[in-house]
Amino acid sequence: MESSKIVRALANVQDPNTGQDLITANMVLDLKVEGPNVSFILQLPKLDAGYKQQLNFACQEAILAVYPEASVHVHMQNPGATPQAKAGGGGPQKGNPLPHVKNIIAVASGKGGVGKSTVAVNLALALQELGGVVGLLDADVYGPSIPTMLGLQGQKPTIEKIYGKPKIKPLFAYGIPVMSTGFVVEPEQAVVLRGPRLSGIIKQFLEECIWPPLDYLIIDLPPGTGDVQLSLVQTVSVTGAVMVTTPQQVALADAIKAMNMFFLPDVQVPVLGVVENMSWFTPKELPDHKYYLFGKDGGKTLARKSNSMLLGQVPLVQGIREGGDDGKPSFLNKDDEITREAWLNVAKNVARQTALRNEMMAATPVVEVKS
Ligand SMILES: Nc1ncnc2c1ncn2[C@@H]1O[C@H](COP(=O)(O)OP(=O)(O)OP(=O)(O)O)[C@@H](O)[C@H]1O
Ligand SMILES: [Mg+2]
């Protein structure tokens, strides 16, 4: 038996979590062929029984198809590398739907219209430029705006069957896998579906999508606290929250309310920091002028109240609004260095605070569903 043929056979076996084949994903180690015996180690991000069994069976089948006489031994191993991967979601029987996603970062605010979606999109792109592998989930089921912001409106994700189970394939924009209710629900329908039905969609997007292995999954939340936020913390281990606020006192009061959701006794999602958006207005023709239309210091105050840091200040500029409307986020506009710098600064701070958080704290426990 030739080991190269066995490798090729295993390259046809897909990890149902990521859609990647076992060889590309570097999951096969220590392959040995001795007489009729084929053995190898299969490195798995989680060890739940159904998943193990499925992969064991698929490996056996693939190898027996080329060498019917082979006797195949698969040793399953879980290196448990990242805190996210270890987050069991309440024990081994429940499993973690996204063990191959290192960090899940929620972008939240108390009030609508402060720029969460704008921050989520540009943060994702800036983290990617810093070398991260990033995905984006638009969890704003009531008013999904990510499809427009990324020029994906009207497109539909496809469904792929892996081991008989239908899985949703995210769409891609600028190299980033993206999922949004906007892809599957018409705006009129969203109003009718409201509440628990809609938040169920978020669970489905986390559990039944083929997310590739990611350093960061950025989640754009609807404003305030509600079913979607709850459904999120009950489904996955959220690494941390990025709070978005404007410098105004009113927006600030609401932001504190939203933050409290993350401080509820059984919700232990740490706040990574605060992005102050629309910090000052800079007209196109006067790029070095700053007009403080909405006051000052809102971001700083919120950071202090949440024991976190100010991740950055983003100016109110026409290009950011236009970029959102045109499906070409402002971070990608190389002509506007000031705005790009602002986003890069936010992304660097998010990356740093995430790394620090992972050094200092265990994975966020998944909130148990109380029935
Ligand atoms: N810094 C900025 N400069 C100019 N326009 C901005 C800025 N940030 C956001 N906007 C614009 O403000 C509007 C609201 O922003 P966005 O949709 O990101 O807010 P949101 O908090 O996600 O809103 P919602 O609560 O409705 O989800 C959009 O038209 C966006 O393009
Ligand atoms: Mg939004």
Side-chain angles (χ1 to χ4, degrees), residues 109 111-119 140 143 145 149 220-223 277-278 314-318 320-322 324-325:
S109 78
K111 210 176 90 140
V114 296
K116 279 178 305 303
S117 303
T118 306
V119 168
D140 190 346
S145 51
M149 287 186 170
D220 179 24
L221 289 173
N277 188 28
M278 314 193 197
V314 180
L316 178 68
V317 292
Q318 196 174 332
I320 294 185
R321 205 261 308 141
E322 286 172 348
D325 289 349

Side-chain angles (χ1 to χ4, degrees), residues 238-288:
V238 179
T239 311
V242 168
M243 302 299 304
V244 182
T245 184
T246 62
Q248 260 160 313
Q249 285 304 318
V250 193
L252 195 63
D254 288 305
I256 290 169
K257 247 185 258 159
M259 218 166 57
N260 283 339
M261 145 95 195
F262 291 110
F263 290 153
L264 286 177
D266 46 353
V267 180
Q268 294 171 32
V269 177
V271 175
L272 296 172
V274 175
V275 175
E276 188 187 78
N277 188 28
M278 314 193 197
S279 296
W280 52 79
F281 170 61
T282 299
K284 235 183 199 165
E285 50 289 355
L286 298 169
D288 35 347

